[in-house]
Amino acid sequence: MVAQQADRKVKEIKGRVNKGIETSFQMLSDGLIAMGRRIYLPEDKTLKDEVLREAHKSRFATHPGSTKMYRETI
């Protein structure tokens, strides 16, 4: 959330959402910008790498759009 607050593009999107111009994004109750069930990640390589690492490190993985979980045997 901190990264979104500091991002210039997020500020632009929030302004368009508040004016009703932007309909593909929505502002969540905690102030995050999302598109459907996915949160917007600013162009921050460190943040994106951390999110990917955390998702792939999980012992349980799901394919986007799927409801089934698969257990990784590492």
Side-chain angles (χ1 to χ4, degrees):
M1 187 158 119
V2 174
Q4 274 199 3
Q5 291 173 345
D7 188 71
R8 181 185 56 80
K9 188 169 182 175
V10 169
K11 291 177 184 176
E12 292 173 12
I13 293 170
K14 282 184 177 184
R16 291 194 311 260
V17 167
N18 287 333
K19 292 177 184 174
I21 299 169
E22 182 66 64
T23 58
S24 57
F25 288 98
Q26 61 195 24
M27 197 165 358
L28 303 179
S29 60
D30 56 3
L32 288 174
I33 294 293
M35 181 181 280
R37 297 182 345 166
R38 299 174 184 206
I39 63 166
Y40 173 84
L41 284 180
E43 290 298 323
D44 181 337
K45 182 171 175 20
T46 305
L47 176 62
K48 287 184 177 187
D49 288 346
E50 184 178 337
V51 169
L52 287 171
R53 188 173 28 261
E54 189 66 32
H56 289 173
K57 189 171 72 172
S58 172
R59 291 185 52 95
F60 294 95
T62 61
H63 186 276
S66 174
T67 57
K68 297 180 180 178
M69 291 182 80
Y70 302 91
R71 185 177 187 147
E72 288 288 326
T73 53
I74 300 172

